[in-house]
Amino acid sequence: MKQIKLKQIGSFTKTHGVHGQLALNLSDNVSFDLLDKGLIEKEAVFVELDGIPVPFFIAENGIRELNDTTILISLEDIDDEKAKQLYPCKVYLN
């Protein structure tokens, strides 16, 4: 079995809008510029639920910068009601 190493990139702090977008507050050592937008959209982000990292895929064109410390993310198959269950949760990348 392949072991994966996860790096925390921030935490979901709230929903944004009514289409299931989530505000991701970036960790101090992570900036939007450091996250390769093309790479992150092709991979899963892992959300810590009940202490277990669960993979979620980012929707096409589902990431944008809100400000220097926050990005907005749309996850595949996540509507506004499901998004409310994902904060406050830590977010990781492989």
Side-chain angles (χ1 to χ4, degrees), residues 8-77:
Q8 183 177 352
I9 59 168
S11 298
F12 287 136
T13 55
K14 62 181 181 175
T15 58
H16 181 83
V18 294
H19 300 289
Q21 281 189 321
L22 287 151
L24 173 64
N25 189 19
L26 297 173
S27 297
D28 290 339
N29 59 345
V30 177
S31 71
F32 186 73
D33 293 336
L34 291 176
L35 296 175
D36 182 334
K37 185 176 177 182
L39 175 66
I40 194 172
E41 286 186 344
K42 293 177 185 173
E43 293 192 15
V45 291
F46 292 81
V47 180
E48 186 177 294
L49 300 173
D50 297 325
I52 300 170
V54 178
F56 289 89
F57 291 96
I58 297 174
E60 186 175 339
N61 297 319
I63 186 169
R64 71 182 173 101
E65 185 176 18
L66 185 62
N67 58 45
D68 289 343
T69 60
T70 306
I71 59 175
L72 300 177
I73 294 183
S74 296
L75 300 174
E76 289 183 0
D77 302 320

